[in-house]
Amino acid sequence: MPKHWGGTAHALINLTTCRYVKIHNMTIINSWTSGIWLSDCPYCIVNNNYFENNRIVSVAIRDNTSLADAESGIVTDNIIKAYGVLGIECLFGVSDVSISNNFIESTGDSYKFPSYAFDGTYPDVYPKDTTFNRPTSPNYINPAQLGDGSCIELTGKYTDVTSDYNNTIIINGNTCNSGMCGVRCEEMSMMATVSNNAIRNCQEGIFLFSANNITCTGNAIRRCVNGIRTDAMIDPAYNIIIDGNIIE
């Protein structure tokens, strides 16, 4: 993988304009950038995989606007030990995505992967060159951007102004632990249901930022600085339903 965080690599598995693909029973670890990117790949399933130490995002569902039909997919029953910026991300206007029964922890670049892991001595033999910046260096580049650090995040309308809004996203039955944010819906994400998730030890449990048509029901949010937070909502904000959650 490239030695610089942007580099030329995007993910260990990077699929574009594919249909009906199932990524199943994989171990996806130690990516300098991301684990899986699915760009313009309708009707795909990411199921029963193990992710660890993928520095940017473990699973990204992306609509890069090159196809006329909507992105769709299922991300379910994965174990994600991120130690990087994001666990699961939907961006640039994806539709009809189900994210359920995943276990996700440690998002926000908390371990500064891979800088913490590779010091040029066995067994961490890469890299050795002096241009490699450790987290303590003033030239170190943190891949996290403002608002990152979520176990699950819906984002991207303003990043690509030609894209549609994210819509019809189901986030159900996930365990989100020790992230900057458990679930974040932002940038005009529409028609998302966040339900029956267990969110623990996060700065923000559920954060709705500049979003509409969001339903939050039946979530158990524990030991978070903020349980459910809204900010910069569209004026007027509409169809925001927060009901039947446990926050302690």
Side-chain angles (χ1 to χ4, degrees):
M1 302 296 289
K3 292 192 287 292
H4 302 292
W5 75 270
T8 56
H10 291 149
L12 294 183
I13 299 175
N14 186 359
L15 303 181
T16 302
T17 60
C18 299
R19 298 168 182 263
Y20 303 105
V21 174
K22 184 174 183 178
I23 301 174
H24 179 70
N25 286 344
M26 301 283 290
T27 297
I28 301 170
I29 62 175
N30 295 346
S31 172
W32 182 265
T33 53
S34 296
I36 293 176
W37 272 21
L38 297 177
S39 301
D40 298 320
C41 292
Y43 318 117
C44 292
I45 298 174
V46 179
N47 171 252
N48 275 340
N49 302 287
Y50 177 80
F51 300 83
E52 185 170 346
N53 287 350
N54 297 298
R55 192 186 189 201
I56 307 297
V57 56
S58 291
V59 181
I61 309 295
R62 308 163 59 90
D63 183 350
N64 287 345
T65 69
S66 61
L67 289 182
D69 57 351
E71 184 84 19
S72 62
I74 297 172
V75 182
T76 181
D77 297 312
N78 299 284
I79 296 175
I80 298 174
K81 296 180 180 294
Y83 307 124
V85 176
L86 294 167
I88 299 171
E89 181 181 43
C90 295
L91 68 165
F92 303 150
V94 302
S95 299
D96 301 309
V97 175
S98 176
I99 301 170
S100 62
N101 300 321
N102 301 281
F103 176 86
I104 309 165
E105 70 174 3
S106 300
T107 53
D109 199 29
S110 57
Y111 277 24
K112 305 298 183 185
F113 176 79
S115 299
Y116 81 96
F118 301 101
D119 63 4
T121 59
Y122 185 84
D124 301 325
V125 295
Y126 172 84
K128 292 182 178 179
D129 64 88
T130 57
T131 62
F132 180 75
N133 294 317
R134 300 173 183 274
T136 55
S137 168
N139 296 320
Y140 174 78
I141 299 176
N142 187 323
Q145 303 297 314
L146 181 64
D148 282 336
S150 300
C151 294
I152 300 172
E153 181 171 288
L154 312 181
T155 189
K157 169 62 182 178
Y158 298 146
T159 307
D160 179 359
V161 296
T162 66
S163 70
D164 294 325
Y165 302 128
N166 294 311
N167 69 85
T168 319
I169 312 294
I170 297 173
I171 301 171
N172 180 71
N174 301 281
T175 297
C176 301
N177 188 36
S178 299
M180 289 295 294
C181 186
V183 177
R184 179 182 173 101
C185 303
E186 68 175 8
E187 294 187 359
M188 286 298 290
S189 292
M190 310 283 278
M191 293 178 285
T193 300
V194 182
S195 60
N196 304 312
N197 300 284
I199 301 172
R200 303 187 296 261
N201 302 314
C202 296
Q203 178 76 21
E204 311 285 349
I206 297 173
F207 187 21
L208 309 181
F209 180 78
S210 184
N212 274 323
N213 276 295
I214 310 292
T215 299
C216 298
T217 60
N219 300 284
I221 304 171
R222 294 182 169 90
R223 298 187 300 275
C224 296
V225 175
N226 293 308
I228 299 176
R229 176 186 167 196
T230 65
D231 195 358
M233 301 302 285
I234 301 303
D235 186 15
Y238 59 88
N239 291 345
I240 303 296
I241 299 173
I242 300 173
D243 180 66
N245 302 282
I246 298 174
I247 304 174
E248 63 181 16

